[in-house]
Amino acid sequence: MNSTVAAIITGVGFEGLLDPPPRSKDGYIPTVGVTQKNGTALLAALKGGKTVEGVIRVDSIIENRTTYNIIAETVHGDENNVLAIGSHTDSGPATPGLNDNGSGTIGILEVALQLAKFRTNNAVRFLFWSAEEFDQFGSRYYIENLSAEELLKIRLYLNFDMIASPNYVYDLYNGDGSDPNVSGPPDSAEAKAFFTKWFESQGIRTTEMDLGCCSDYIPFMEAKIPVGGIRTGAAGSKTADTAAALGGTAGTAYDPNYEGPGDNYTNLNFDAFLTNTKAIAAAVAEYSNSFESIPLRTANGTI
C-alpha cells in the first residue's frame, strides 16, 4: 500500500505548471509543482537534516467529459495532398484565454473565411482543437485515429498557438535540426525557411522556438509529419536585442498575463496579431498551390 500522502514536483527549468496526470485506477495523491529555486531550497533543507513541514491543499475534479474538435476542409483541392492548419480553442482554468489561444483560433478562422473565395490545388484542412490544455488530448485523438494512409496524405502541419502576446516576439518553430535537443520530422525545415523568408520580406526580425513542448504540433511530430508554426511568446523574458528590434520591454515576459485573468481583449497586441495572420495567409497561399518543396512521404520514408 502506498503511504505517500502528497508529492511536490520540481526540476530544471520547471516553472510550476503540471500537465494532467494519466487516469489512475487507484486514485491520486495531492500533487503540486514548485519552481526549481523553491524545490532546490526544500531539498537542501531536508538534506541538511531539517524538518520541513507544510500544508498542501489541492482542489481537483475527476470526471468524464465530452469535448469536440471542429474540422473544416476546402471543397476544392487534391485530398491526397493536404495542408493542415491547427489552433486550440480551449484555455487554462484561470484565464479568459484571449491570447492563449483565442488569437490563434481567430487568426486561422479569418484565413479560412477568406480562402473560401478561392479554388486551391491542394486541400487545406483547418483543425480547431479541443482540450490542448489537457496534454493535447484533441489533436492526439485525431492523429491516433487516422489510418496510416490518411496520415501520409498530410504533407505539412502548421500550428498557431498564441500570436498576439503584448510584449511579443516572432518565434518560428525550429524544425530544421539546429536545435541540439529536438528536431522536427524531415522537411520541417521547409516550413521554417518559408516563414523566415516571408518575415525578412517584411523587414521583421524573427527568433526561434525549440520543439520541446507543448502544443498540438507534438502529436504530428510523433507521427513523422513535417511541422511548422509561429508564436509570440508566453512566460519567457524578452531580450534587450529583441526589444531594440521590435519594441517592447526587455526583461519582461512576452505575455505577463499568461495563464492568468489578465489574458483578455484589452491586453492583446493587434500589430503582432495582424502580422502573424498575414503570415498564415501567405503560407496557405504557398502550400495550397504547391508542395514542390516538400517531398512525398511513404511508409518507408520520403521520395
Side-chain angles (χ1 to χ4, degrees):
M1 180 177 178
N2 189 345
S3 61
T4 303
V5 295
I8 299 174
I9 297 176
T10 189
V12 176
F14 192 81
E15 294 299 328
L17 297 176
L18 295 177
D19 287 332
R23 183 58 60 90
S24 170
K25 295 180 181 180
D26 301 320
Y28 299 89
I29 60 171
T31 305
V32 297
V34 299
T35 63
Q36 183 184 4
K37 178 180 178 180
N38 290 336
T40 300
L42 286 172
L43 185 60
L46 291 169
K47 288 183 175 179
K50 294 183 179 180
T51 299
V52 178
E53 297 183 353
V55 176
I56 294 178
R57 176 177 175 176
V58 177
D59 293 323
S60 63
I61 299 173
I62 301 173
E63 63 185 10
N64 291 321
R65 294 180 179 178
T66 300
T67 187
Y68 299 92
N69 295 322
I70 299 175
I71 302 171
E73 188 167 313
T74 51
V75 174
H76 306 288
D78 183 358
E79 294 180 351
N80 292 315
N81 291 283
V82 177
L83 170 63
I85 307 284
S87 176
H88 73 87
T89 59
D90 61 323
S91 63
T95 176
L98 266 293
N99 186 35
D100 183 16
N101 184 37
S103 63
T105 298
I106 296 301
I108 71 168
L109 177 60
E110 179 61 24
V111 172
L113 292 172
Q114 299 305 319
L115 186 64
K117 303 172 184 177
F118 302 91
R119 297 176 68 99
T120 60
N121 293 331
N122 299 314
V124 183
R125 187 173 300 158
F126 292 89
L127 301 152
F128 298 89
W129 303 120
S130 180
E132 184 270 352
E133 300 286 351
F134 292 85
D135 196 26
Q136 303 93 47
F137 187 86
S139 53
R140 286 187 183 280
Y141 180 88
Y142 175 77
I143 287 294
E144 290 170 0
N145 286 276
L146 285 183
S147 67
E149 181 182 5
E150 289 299 317
L151 288 171
L152 288 173
K153 292 178 182 178
I154 302 175
R155 300 286 297 276
L156 175 65
Y157 174 69
L158 299 177
N159 191 70
F160 302 98
D161 186 350
M162 303 180 66
I163 63 170
S165 303
N167 196 32
Y168 64 92
V169 288
Y170 294 108
D171 262 350
L172 308 184
Y173 287 20
N174 187 13
D176 63 3
S178 60
D179 171 23
N181 298 312
V182 181
S183 180
D187 303 310
S188 298
E190 163 57 28
K192 178 186 172 185
F194 172 83
F195 284 123
T196 299
K197 183 177 179 180
W198 186 87
F199 278 97
E200 285 177 350
S201 74
Q202 308 298 309
I204 297 173
R205 174 177 173 171
T206 58
T207 48
E208 297 179 350
M209 184 197 85
D210 294 342
L211 296 177
C213 75
C214 304
S215 193
D216 292 298
Y217 65 87
I218 296 290
F220 287 82
M221 280 183 59
E222 293 170 350
K224 310 302 182 185
I225 296 170
V227 299
I230 311 167
R231 74 165 186 176
T232 48
S237 296
K238 197 168 197 174
T239 66
D241 286 347
T242 306
L246 298 175
T249 306
T252 299
Y254 304 122
D255 188 352
N257 309 298
Y258 177 58
E259 298 283 0
D263 186 9
N264 55 42
Y265 183 83
T266 61
N267 287 322
L268 299 177
N269 189 294
F270 288 98
D271 289 337
F273 173 77
L274 180 59
T275 296
N276 282 320
T277 304
K278 289 179 178 179
I280 296 169
V284 170
E286 173 77 9
Y287 297 115
S288 67
N289 180 57
S290 173
F291 282 119
E292 182 179 0
S293 60
I294 299 179
L296 281 168
R297 300 192 327 281
T298 69
N300 298 318
T302 59
I303 59 174

